[in-house]
Amino acid sequence: MSHWVNNFGIDEILENEGFVYQITNCLTGMKYIGKKFIYSKTTKKIPGKTRRKHIKKESDWRTYTSSSKDVKNDIKQYGKENFIFEILSLHKTRTETNYEESRLLFLNDVLNAKYDNGLYIFYNKNILLRYYRSDK
């Protein structure tokens, strides 16, 4: 099953709406915490009808690597085999998924956490596009 490392079976994953994950660069030690929804939802106009049809289909979660440009660039530079893609938790709703991602981002202090050499531990540069890393 894809590149995701986890303790969940495929059926258990598909019973949920989303998951929170962590990507670790094995060469640099940098990490990224994010979320991914397992299903995408769209509406489709039906000819001759005023109501739209709601369509739920599986997203690209099986091959998904990250929304972070920095993570994507490092995957391209170092190779996917040098990263660990780990599902941390599964969630029944989008709200629960969003909440858990935010909780872990704040809990791990992703905007400020640094190694002893001064380099950031996390790729994450913002939380909810509202709180940003201050590079002072």
Side-chain angles (χ1 to χ4, degrees):
M1 176 185 82
S2 70
H3 57 279
W4 293 105
V5 176
N6 62 78
N7 296 319
F8 310 106
I10 188 72
D11 292 337
E12 189 177 359
I13 292 171
L14 294 174
E15 289 171 1
N16 288 278
E17 192 64 35
F19 59 86
V20 176
Y21 64 87
Q22 179 174 280
I23 297 171
T24 304
N25 181 329
C26 298
L27 302 176
T28 66
M30 286 189 75
K31 300 174 181 188
Y32 180 81
I33 293 175
K35 69 170 182 272
K36 182 65 179 164
F37 296 120
I38 297 163
Y39 298 98
S40 64
K41 297 176 180 180
T42 58
T43 57
K44 184 177 180 182
K45 187 169 171 47
I46 307 297
K49 305 264 186 180
T50 55
R51 296 187 132 204
R52 294 177 174 264
K53 183 177 181 178
H54 296 276
I55 299 169
K56 180 179 176 180
K57 67 178 187 175
E58 195 172 315
S59 71
D60 64 344
W61 72 271
R62 294 174 195 252
T63 57
Y64 182 78
T65 52
S66 179
S67 60
S68 166
K69 289 179 185 174
D70 294 332
V71 174
K72 286 180 184 178
N73 288 339
D74 278 3
I75 290 171
K76 188 181 278 188
Q77 180 180 350
Y78 300 122
K80 194 173 173 181
E81 66 278 2
N82 289 305
F83 290 80
I84 297 170
F85 298 83
E86 182 180 12
I87 295 176
L88 302 176
S89 57
L90 297 173
H91 304 281
K92 293 284 185 199
T93 67
R94 287 176 175 251
T95 302
E96 287 175 13
T97 307
N98 291 331
Y99 174 81
E100 183 60 13
E101 179 201 24
S102 297
R103 190 183 77 78
L104 287 177
L105 291 172
F106 282 110
L107 187 67
N108 287 284
D109 196 22
V110 299
L111 301 181
N112 301 309
K114 292 183 180 182
Y115 290 109
D116 291 338
N117 64 7
L119 295 176
Y120 285 105
I121 295 172
F122 291 91
Y123 286 98
N124 302 75
K125 292 182 179 175
N126 72 73
I127 298 175
L128 301 170
L129 294 174
R130 184 172 183 174
Y131 305 103
Y132 292 86
R133 177 179 288 169
S134 63
D135 288 321
K136 293 181 183 177

